């Protein structure tokens, strides 16, 4: 691993732990899983919001990093997290799927919170660390950290898309955010498209930089490396989960419940970027055009509650629930189960794996999505269970507007979710592939995920940061 034993200071919006009952545990998120082995090997530190709990311990069993909590008042969380991060940057970076709100008070708080995170990171007492800053909540932090530690090695990774300059340029604070990012030595994106969008934005707003290949050269002599590093999953974890006893038990129950029905599955945070409304419209169309499916098909939507303090998310929930009710009213046949199963909750991981195994079609139809890890989890679980009795391979129906599309374009059924009529046709088509074809498509996609798992992603990212640093050392001050 490219850190060579140097300390690692991760700076992310949230700490990697949460409290259940009286006990603190590592959180279940992908980033936490990905970084666990790295922080175990080095002197690991994590700077993040304390979630409103002033008593976060310095260490938590199962995650070998020192925790450095950042406190925010409820009002600061409202302005920084719900406001500027999720009502300004989130819709803007997802191609204006909702109208971004430009509020100067939110911006001032965003700046102040980025300063607070940068101060907390700079205060971590370690010798010659690598700082790794994450995501859209902290776009200013790399430059702020550079002000405090001019010689520091700083990497940044963006987990969501980077918008084209024509959209980014609408933001009153476009220049400040670009300068914030350019404080890093290396900036990682999921795809080449997002990387190019960033570089085009920099070119448009900074006349004093030159770009050669993937490097941005600044007038002060510093260079910033940009790279596309698609994030991935812990393949071994999901492969084991696929065939765990508990998963098998859950699957047996689900198979009984959905006997004699083809199952299409959706798994998303309830977010307007995920295309759930378009998906339901397409289901309605499918059930209109193909009446026999009303009793031989089920669509299961797991919608994980998300950001429900934000108006657009509450509206989305209402609309989705109205649409599900509407479909039930129109298509439920007396004596038969309803055609749409809507679960507004998060389910345990073994249950999630059982749903992945049950699905004949996995419908991943976001209007825009940085990567989409559900796609990678689905093909991995399906492939790991290929030799289990009754495990018939499923089909991945995938939006062309996800980062994952680049990897799966040859073997998924690709769709444009904005075109509801063609989406319904793609859904119907997904139900027609023969078993051998399905199996080999899943196998190829799973092999590709295995080749670039989340640990490879961590290595690539850290390698990119340390490469940028070596180049700086060769050029000299
Ligand atoms: C952002 C970007 C990018 C979902 N339902 C349940 C559950 N999940 C887990 C999945 C998956 C994760 O949540 C969702 O990850 P995604 O990547 O699909 O989407 P975002 O939350 O929007 O993530 C995205 C990602 O960051 C990483 O950079 O890929 O583009 O938007 O791991 O398994 N987990 C459990 N129960 C559920 O019901 N336990």
């Amino acid at each position: 691993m490219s850190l060579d034993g140097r300390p690692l200071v991760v700076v992310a919006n949230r700490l990697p732990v949460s409290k259940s009952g009286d006990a603190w545990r590592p959180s279940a998120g992908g980033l936490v899983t990905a970084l666990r082995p790295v922080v175990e090997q080095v002197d690991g530190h994590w700077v993040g919001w304390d979630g409103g709990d002033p008593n976060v311990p310095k260490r938590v069993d199962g995650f070998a990093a020192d925790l450095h909590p950042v406190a925010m008042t409820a009002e600061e969380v409202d302005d920084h997290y719900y406001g500027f991060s999720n009502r300004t940057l989130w819709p803007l970076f997802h191609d204006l799927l909702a109208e971004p709100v430009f509020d100067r008070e939110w911006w001032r708080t965003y700046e102040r919170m980025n300063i607070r995170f940068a101060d907390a990171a700079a205060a971590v007492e370690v010798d010659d660390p690598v700082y790794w800053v994450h995501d859209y909540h902290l776009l200013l932090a790399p430059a702020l950290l550079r002000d405090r530690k001019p010689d520091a090695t700083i990497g940044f990774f963006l987990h969501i898309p980077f918008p084209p300059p024509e959209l980014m340029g609408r933001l009153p604070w476009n220049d400040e955010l670009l300068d914030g990012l350019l404080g890093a030595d290396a900036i990682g994106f999921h795809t080449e498209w997002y990387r190019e969008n960033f570089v085009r934005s920099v070119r448009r707003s900074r006349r004093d930089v030159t770009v050669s290949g993937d490097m941005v050269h600044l007038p002060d002599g510093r260079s910033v490396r940009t790279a596309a590093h698609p994030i991935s999953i812990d393949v071994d974890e999901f492969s084991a989960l696929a065939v765990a006893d508990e998963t098998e038990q859950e699957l047996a129950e689900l198979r009984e419940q959905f006997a004699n029905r083809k199952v299409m599955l959706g798994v998303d945070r309830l977010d307007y970027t995920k295309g759930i409304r378009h998906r339901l419209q397409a289901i309605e169309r499918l059930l209109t055009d193909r009446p026999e499916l009303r009793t031989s098909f089920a669509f299961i939507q797991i919608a994980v509650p998300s950001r429900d303090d934000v108006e657009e998310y509450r509206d989305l929930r209402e609309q989705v629930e109205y649409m599900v009710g509407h479909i039930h009213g129109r298509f439920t046949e007396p004596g038969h189960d309803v055609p749409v199963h809507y679960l507004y909750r998060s389910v345990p991981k073994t249950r999630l794996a059982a749903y992945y195994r049950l699905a004949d079609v996995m419908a991943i139809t976001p209007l825009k999505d940085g990567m989409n890890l559900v796609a990678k989890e689905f093909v991995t679980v399906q492939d790991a269970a290929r030799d289990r009795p009754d495990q018939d391979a499923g089909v991945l129906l995938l939006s062309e507007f996800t980062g994952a599309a680049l990897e799966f374009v040859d073997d998924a059924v690709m769709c444009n979710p904005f075109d509801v009529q063609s989406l319904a046709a793609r859904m119907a088509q997904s139900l027609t592939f023969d078993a051998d074809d399905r199996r080999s498509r899943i196998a190829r996609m799973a092999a590709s995920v295995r080749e670039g798992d989340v640990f490879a992603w961590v290595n690539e990212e850290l390698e990119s940061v340390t490469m940028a640093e070596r180049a700086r050392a060769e050029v000299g001050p």
Side-chain angles (χ1 to χ4, degrees), residues 1 7-8 21 78 118 158 268 284 345 353 356 409 418 447:
M1 205 233 320
L8 176 68
D78 272 350
L158 184 67
D268 316 80
E284 181 166 4
R345 79 203 68 158
Y356 287 155
V409 65
F418 291 95

Side-chain angles (χ1 to χ4, degrees), residues 272-286:
Y272 53 80
T273 59
K274 301 290 182 180
I276 301 171
R277 284 175 289 205
H278 295 67
R279 201 178 300 160
L280 286 167
Q281 281 170 15
I283 294 283
E284 181 166 4
R285 178 143 211 134
L286 184 68

Side-chain angles (χ1 to χ4, degrees), residues 28 30 90 94 135 157-161 190 231 233 238 267-269 274 302 304 345-349 352 356 369-375 377:
W90 181 267
H94 288 88
D135 229 0
F157 187 81
L158 184 67
H159 290 261
I160 64 174
H190 287 307
I231 202 169
I233 60 164
F238 276 92
V267 175
D268 316 80
R269 275 185 309 98
K274 301 290 182 180
I302 299 174
V304 180
R345 79 203 68 158
S346 161
V347 300
K349 265 195 168 164
L352 185 64
Y356 287 155
D369 208 337
M371 173 52 62
N372 194 289
L373 292 177
V374 171
E377 293 167 3

Side-chain angles (χ1 to χ4, degrees), residues 346-389:
S346 161
V347 300
K349 265 195 168 164
T350 47
R351 185 113 191 137
L352 185 64
Y355 277 115
Y356 287 155
R357 282 189 57 187
L358 177 76
D360 297 291
V361 180
M362 180 83 226
I364 298 185
T365 64
L367 306 174
K368 189 82 180 177
D369 208 337
M371 173 52 62
N372 194 289
L373 292 177
V374 171
K376 297 193 173 188
E377 293 167 3
F378 170 71
V379 296
T380 300
V381 164
Q382 285 258 328
D383 190 59
R386 65 191 174 276
D387 296 329
R388 293 284 155 141

